[in-house]
Amino acid sequence: MTFYIGRESSKLWKRICAETTTELNLLAENWKYLLAGVVCQYIHGLAARGVHYIHRPGPTLQDVGFMLLPWTFHPFIFKSKKIYTVIVWCRVLAFLVASQFLRIITFYSTQLPGPNYHCREGSKLARLPPPKSVLEVLLINFPRGVIYGCGDLIFSSHMIFTLVFVRTYQKYGTRRSIKQLSWLLAIIQSFLIVASRKHYTVDVVVAWYTVNFVVFFIDKKFAELPDRSNGIGSLLLPVTNKEKDGRTKEETHKLLNGNSGDPADWRQRTQVNGKNLEDGNTVHVDGAMNGA
């Protein structure tokens, strides 16, 4: 029993080391993309803060969602791992940045009077006084400035994050029940956002088709993720620039097809076309490449 525990502990430690090494190697290759994505999150917050300065309260617009929904709500390391965390986050941040860029353009193009209670005429929070310093703008008054922002309406940032993460799990997740629950919660959240008067109905509707189009088209630009269902190791890592310099095209082709240099090990390795079927099954499609 002691021998078994020691052996399994050793395997677990080797797995943790292999996972950590793999992700760190990918991070070294893709840190610029991740950093750019994080910086763009700050820029988006800065833009939302800026539009509040030019927001002007006015009568609430006529909205079918407001008529149908009364004001009754208020704002509110697994073994089966089949994806590389760094690469997936590169994709997620790319989806967020593209969606938020389109959002910034729309809410600066036309400023709508905010429907929320703190954005209405008579509220001290509806209009921001001119900033006393540049630092006041750059700090974006987090989190108060985010919670009580006005003017950044079309389209809903809440739905951007929700749909991006739901779409990502839809592609790479393995649990059908979680996928179905995620879509159900996204639909419920859409109604809650309107019911809480955080956004107009048009903000939510535009988010639904815009974010889905963004994810669809940007995802097409990325090469598919390599399959790692058959184990962990350098053979399944995307080929880095350093590795490209040291390997021939023939060697790279062998590695991408799951074959080692040993002819005895020339067997076709199953590859995943960037997504998994529910409950651990994979889609058998050839040609997986680097995902970033």
Side-chain angles (χ1 to χ4, degrees), residues 3-292:
F3 174 76
Y4 175 78
I5 295 176
R7 185 182 62 181
E8 292 302 314
S9 299
S10 177
K11 289 182 179 180
L12 177 61
W13 175 247
K14 289 180 181 179
R15 181 178 182 83
I16 293 175
C17 291
E19 288 287 351
T20 303
T21 302
T22 299
E23 296 292 351
L24 288 177
N25 288 337
L26 290 172
L27 181 61
E29 286 288 316
N30 297 282
W31 68 269
K32 295 179 181 179
Y33 303 107
L34 295 173
L35 179 61
V38 172
V39 170
C40 286
Q41 296 305 301
Y42 170 74
I43 294 176
H44 173 261
L46 198 64
R49 170 75 169 177
V51 79
H52 195 167
Y53 284 106
I54 59 179
H55 172 261
R56 296 296 179 266
T60 304
L61 304 180
Q62 183 174 342
D63 188 288
V64 65
F66 291 179
M67 291 185 286
L68 297 177
L69 296 172
W71 187 294
T72 55
F73 301 98
H74 295 280
F76 59 82
I77 306 188
F78 297 99
K79 190 174 181 180
S80 59
K81 179 182 176 186
K82 297 180 181 298
I83 48 85
Y84 295 107
T85 303
V86 171
I87 295 178
V88 169
W89 270 105
C90 284
R91 293 180 178 232
V92 168
L93 288 171
F95 302 152
L96 291 176
V97 169
S99 299
Q100 291 169 336
F101 178 74
L102 294 175
R103 180 174 187 261
I104 292 172
I105 293 176
T106 55
F107 67 61
Y108 267 105
S109 298
T110 303
Q111 290 83 48
L112 303 180
N116 216 334
Y117 66 94
H118 64 268
C119 298
R120 299 186 177 185
E121 195 72 56
S123 172
K124 296 180 179 180
L125 300 174
R127 298 178 64 176
L128 290 179
K132 299 178 180 179
S133 65
V134 176
L135 187 62
E136 182 181 337
V137 178
L138 296 179
L139 291 179
I140 66 177
N141 192 23
F142 184 84
R144 182 179 175 83
V146 177
I147 297 174
Y148 295 103
C150 297
D152 57 324
L153 295 173
I154 299 179
F155 42 96
S156 172
S157 180
H158 296 77
M159 294 308 304
I160 289 178
F161 280 91
T162 298
L163 291 173
V164 164
F165 285 110
V166 170
R167 283 293 302 265
T168 301
Y169 189 82
Q170 177 68 32
K171 183 170 184 177
Y172 299 113
T174 59
R175 301 284 184 177
R176 179 180 297 179
S177 58
I178 297 180
K179 294 180 182 181
Q180 295 172 341
L181 178 61
S182 298
W183 284 112
L184 177 60
L185 292 177
I187 295 173
I188 293 175
Q189 178 178 281
S190 301
F191 288 104
L192 293 179
I193 290 174
V194 177
S196 66
R197 303 302 188 258
K198 184 67 177 176
H199 281 278
Y200 291 105
T201 306
V202 65
D203 305 338
V204 175
V205 172
V206 171
W208 266 94
Y209 61 76
T210 302
V211 175
N212 278 291
F213 276 130
V214 166
V215 172
F216 175 79
F217 285 110
I218 291 184
D219 194 50
K220 292 293 184 181
K221 297 296 182 181
F222 283 97
E224 297 298 351
L225 300 187
D227 175 33
R228 53 176 299 165
S229 60
N230 294 315
I232 307 172
S234 60
L235 294 181
L236 293 180
L237 274 175
V239 182
T240 63
N241 293 331
K242 293 181 181 179
E243 291 171 332
K244 287 179 181 177
D245 296 335
R247 294 175 180 170
T248 63
K249 292 182 179 180
E250 180 180 359
E251 291 173 334
T252 303
H253 178 73
K254 290 178 181 179
L255 292 175
L256 291 175
N257 283 279
N259 298 325
S260 66
D262 185 2
D265 193 37
W266 284 15
R267 60 187 183 278
Q268 186 66 28
R269 189 183 298 271
T270 303
Q271 302 233 338
V272 63
N273 190 23
K275 61 180 178 180
N276 304 304
L277 288 179
E278 291 81 1
D279 302 322
N281 297 320
T282 57
V283 179
H284 293 234
V285 181
D286 294 330
M289 294 290 289
N290 188 357

